[in-house]
Amino acid sequence: MPAVKVENLEKDYGKVKALKGISFEINEGEIFGLIGPNGAGKSTTLKILSTLLAPTGGRAEIFGHDVVKEAPRIRELISYLPEEAGAYKNLTGREYLEFMAKLYAKNERDATKMIKLGVKLSGLRDRLDDKVSTYSKGMTRKLLLARALMVKPKLAILDEPASGLDIINAYTIRKTIREFARNEGVTFLLSSHNMLEVEFLCHRVALIDSGRIIDIGTPRELKERYDAENLEEVFMRAVGAGGGHYE
Amino acid sequence: MSDFWIMAKKEMKNLIRDKKLLFGLIIVPLVLYPAMGKLMQVGLEKAQGETHVAIANFDDGEYGMVLVKTLQNAPNVTVTLINASSVEKALESAAKKNQNVLVVIPRNFSESIRENKPATVELYGIFRSTSTGMKESVSEGRINAVIAVLSEQIARIKIQKLGVTSPDALLHPVRAESMSYLKNKIIPISPSVVSGVLASQSITLPIIVFLMVTITAQMAAGAIAAEKENKTLETLLTLPVKRTTIVASKITGTALMGLIAALAYMIGMRSYLGSLGVQSGISLSDLGLQITPEGMVLFALVIFLTIIFSLSLAMILAIFAQDVQSANTVVSSVILPLAFPAFILMYTGLGELPVEIRYALLADPFTHPIAAYQYMFSGNYTGMLTSIAYLAVLAALTLYTTARIFSTEKVLTAKIGWGRKS
Ligand SMILES: Nc1ncnc2c1ncn2[C@@H]1O[C@H](COP(=O)(O)OP(=O)(O)O)[C@@H](O)[C@H]1O
Ligand SMILES: [Mg+2]
């Protein structure tokens, strides 16, 4: 059974067709990347899989459970990091992690373990006892990533985990994800418009543009298929934009 | 701990740590109201308490002295004697001594009384500055008080001169003993005091209910809109917590905070009104208006349902707003017009209104707490039960709608541009 199975998924926001029937599968333990430009439909796909939006066509399953009909069950399996997200400003970082851990943990011991892991993943040390309202963008993002991972979900859904951050913060976040995936064997679905980030993190990627999936494969397969140096070139050739062909 | 309590606790923690909210909910009622009351009280005490008069006696006969003596012995009057050669000098001296009123007994005072002519005294209100503060504005009242005391004393002197033994019986031949008749009982309390107590009760409660409804509605709306504004809503909705639990915990958290706020307002208000002397130390039970435990329970139920209704209505409205500020605007513009008509009941009972107006008022859920309050005293349990049934239906409908919206993607996508772009 695949971790994620998406079949002909469609989503209309009124007149805007954000998804025009996309399909892909993710294997258990894989880090799967959805890459594409702004407005391609990445966030929409991730929100449907996170039970936030209802698809207008097609279907999606996570570990065999339908995301619409079994939404409450899905929420127990996944952990979602939104593209634009904040934490409760009047709580301290530690209180935020404690609050979240209590909602996921079955008992006190589990909660303590989760919090310990969250503290470590956040890398915020003693700043965890300051209010979230005093955090920088990078610190908030680290806190949110820590809370998403500390519960050790079956599937982690991360929407542009490092976008909008400076290189140091972005690097730390990518490293945290990669190490966590290696140590815990959690399945990941993440989106990005940063092709290099995806190359660094993902086992397999899907290229998405204007609500359609153009191609799927490992970064190496794709580079060979399009005879390209990196995923950026792959993408440009896949969408048929003649990047740099002046001869 | 259940998910529900974990979330309700977080909700309260978040609200308690909000400095603006804390100021409006706790500091204002508990500190500002009583402080305002104290200020007013200081002013009123100055205005009402003792009557201070300065007297300059130019009379050479006996009656001038008698008048001074009787004034000195009169209750609530403090007399300062001024020795001066002329009226101007006396005024200067009185002004120096911070007196507000100077009474001048003229040279021919005793003579006029002896000859049974109307005797004249001159009264001067003394202004030391041109600012019209509280103190200056009451000078008139003081002068009148002094005149009343003077006339009575002069009348007394004249009557005594006629050889009457009990001047009081002649001065006040009729005395009224006022009592009140309320709910088939005679109460030995004057009607003005009774109506004062009733009025203060019928004003305080609507204001408290009004404040509580608007404050908790704003808090509930804020609790939803803040999730959008701070971008915590999407995460919240993907947590392994039932959507109904999320709604219930938000309502409970804000309702509990609302309760604390209402208590604070009640305490603050009581001390404010108390310092104004509205609270006459006479309670409703002194007036024979007994509240039965059943009545109290029913009344509490009415209040509870009203708050549930306004909280869930506020939450529905807030779902359409993108930030706290616009949520507050939206909620105010819906809840205030709904809550306002209830104030009519501050002046009249429901039963005294024309039928159409009565039913129009009763259709408005926010009039029910005040109607129920009146029902509670008249022992009209049917009325209260009807209110409860009506409010229960409304509260259930709005709660259901809130829960429904929360269980769909509308909670994320619903949006109305309130005059600005998001
Ligand atoms: N709530 C919404 N209402 C209307 N249109 C939307 C909404 N959210 C996204 N869209 C549109 O759907 C398309 C896909 O958006 P999105 O999934 O956010 O893309 P991406 O995450 O790849 O940048 C875009 O054209 C966007 O404008
Ligand atoms: Mg996006």
Side-chain angles (χ1 to χ4, degrees), chain A residues 93-113:
Chain A
R94 192 181 303 278
E95 284 170 336
Y96 180 72
L97 292 180
E98 282 166 3
F99 165 64
M100 289 295 178
K102 280 184 202 151
L103 292 176
Y104 279 90
K106 302 264 181 303
N107 53 48
E108 203 78 15
R109 253 189 51 220
D110 278 2
T112 315
K113 268 207 225 147

Side-chain angles (χ1 to χ4, degrees), chain A residues 37-44 83 159-160 191 193:
Chain A
N38 292 327
K42 306 182 293 295
S43 295
T44 304
E83 180 174 0
D159 198 351
E160 313 230 8
S191 80
H193 59 257

